[in-house]
């Protein structure tokens, strides 16, 4: 029976299910698990009873909307498993996962909950992603690009942490600043070599200047002369450079 007491045809039932999934996907992407089912029903143009007929709970509906996204990550990782230069592949794949997931609150909530052991998207889906990611990790380690003491549990925790940081820390991609700063820092922590990624500088804000040595932001002084350096260390470094210049 429908909400109005009429039994729907199979075609109508399929159409309603598609409408509910489409509405749920966009609502979860915007608001995460907190979106009420009544809002999803409103977006789909159906009654709450129709939603419950196809999906017995909000968690079941949530799973249905994100499984295909996680499977896409898994399939991509599997496709990259035999690509030459596994180190470069590994360090391209991780930022791509963060970049795509951080724009989707549903994926962020799902990956964070799964990382804490509170959620399994669907039987085997989370494990399949871990297995595919572990292959990329192992090949990158065998190539000498990733430190040997890192395991899949570490990597999963770092990914979850990166998603939270990219969403919350000022200057991250989700806040309109330099994209992927936290992800770049995470990748550097995984590398075996001592080289580090040069981060993009955050946009200069109004009434803000940059340190003449390290480029860090300096808040405008309320009184007196504007500061030229962010602190004593940079001031001393600049002084030593001036002294060497005078001596030559």
């Amino acid at each position: 029976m429908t909400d109005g007491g009429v039994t729907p045809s199979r075609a109508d039932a399929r159409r309603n299910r598609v409408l509910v999934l489409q509405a749920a996907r966009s609502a979860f992407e915007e608001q995460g698990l907190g979106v009420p089912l009544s809002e999803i029903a409103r977006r789909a143009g159906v009654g709450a009873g129709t939603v419950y007929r196809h999906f017995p709970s909000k968690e079941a509906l949530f799973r249905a909307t994100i499984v295909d996204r996680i499977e896409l990550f898994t399939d991509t990782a599997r496709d990259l498993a035999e690509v030459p230069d596994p180190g470069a592949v590994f360090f391209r794949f991780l930022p791509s996962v963060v970049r795509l997931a951080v724009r989707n609150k549903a994926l962020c909530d799902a990956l964070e909950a799964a990382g804490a052991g509170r959620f399994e998207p669907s039987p085997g889906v989370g494990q399949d992603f871990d297995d595919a990611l572990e292959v990329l990790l192992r090949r990158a380690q065998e190539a000498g690009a990733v430190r040997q003491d890192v395991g899949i549990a570490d990597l999963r925790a770092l990914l979850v942490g990166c998603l939270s940081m990219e969403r919350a820390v000022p200057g991250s991609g989700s806040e309109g600043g330099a994209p992927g700063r936290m992800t770049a820092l995470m990748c550097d922590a995984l590398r075996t070599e001592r080289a580090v990624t040069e981060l993009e500088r955050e946009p200069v804000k109004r009434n803000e200047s940059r340190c003449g040595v390290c480029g860090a932001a300096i808040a405008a002084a309320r009184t007196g002369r504007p500061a030229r350096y962010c602190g004593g260390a940079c001031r001393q470094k600049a002084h030593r450079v001036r002294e060497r210049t005078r001596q030559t």
Side-chain angles (χ1 to χ4, degrees):
M1 300 290 287
T2 65
D3 301 294
V6 179
T7 302
S9 67
R10 289 185 178 181
D12 286 341
R14 288 194 296 268
R15 179 181 62 83
N16 287 340
R17 190 178 193 279
V18 170
L19 289 174
V20 170
L21 274 173
Q22 289 174 341
R25 183 170 287 118
S26 63
F28 283 134
E29 285 181 3
E30 295 167 11
Q31 302 178 42
L33 272 167
V35 63
L37 276 178
S38 59
E39 169 64 12
I40 294 172
R42 185 192 66 78
R43 293 189 183 205
V46 300
T50 299
V51 177
Y52 280 111
R53 186 174 303 106
H54 292 286
F55 303 96
S57 67
K58 184 167 71 171
E59 187 174 272
L61 178 55
F62 183 73
R63 282 193 176 97
T65 63
I66 64 167
V67 163
D68 60 338
R69 299 296 194 263
I70 297 177
E71 286 177 340
L72 178 61
F73 289 149
T74 301
D75 291 342
T76 302
R78 287 170 174 166
D79 290 341
L80 294 172
E82 301 301 325
V83 174
D85 198 355
V89 166
F90 178 81
F91 285 115
R92 284 199 302 269
F93 180 73
L94 286 187
S96 71
V97 170
V98 175
R99 185 175 61 253
L100 293 172
V102 78
R103 302 171 187 165
N104 184 329
K105 197 170 189 308
L107 264 178
C108 287
D109 286 352
L111 292 173
E112 289 174 4
R118 302 190 309 270
F119 179 75
E120 168 63 36
S122 185
V125 171
Q127 187 60 52
D128 287 346
F129 176 64
D130 281 356
D131 292 344
L133 184 58
E134 190 168 17
V135 171
L136 295 185
L137 171 63
R138 187 175 65 251
R139 292 193 72 238
Q141 289 173 324
E142 291 171 352
V146 175
R147 45 194 290 180
Q148 296 294 322
D149 57 349
V150 172
I152 186 62
D154 301 317
L155 193 55
R156 186 170 58 240
L158 285 170
L159 275 174
V160 170
C162 245
L163 288 173
S164 297
M165 295 289 282
E166 291 286 3
R167 288 198 294 172
V169 174
S172 68
S174 61
E175 298 294 329
R181 289 177 65 85
M182 300 300 108
T183 309
L185 291 172
M186 173 190 72
C187 287
D188 280 348
L190 295 170
R191 300 180 193 274
T192 53
E193 71 269 19
R194 295 176 181 243
V196 296
T197 304
E198 183 176 348
L199 299 175
E200 294 186 30
R201 291 184 177 180
E202 298 177 21
V204 178
K205 299 177 182 178
R206 188 177 180 182
N207 298 326
E208 185 179 76
S209 57
R210 294 283 180 180
C211 174
V213 174
C214 71
I218 305 174
R222 294 184 179 180
T223 59
R225 296 174 58 187
R228 296 176 59 189
Y229 309 106
C230 63
C234 284
R235 190 177 299 108
Q236 291 176 6
K237 187 179 294 185
H239 175 72
R240 289 195 294 270
V241 171
R242 286 195 299 270
E243 288 298 312
R244 285 198 296 268
T245 302
R246 289 195 189 100
Q247 293 172 6
T248 56

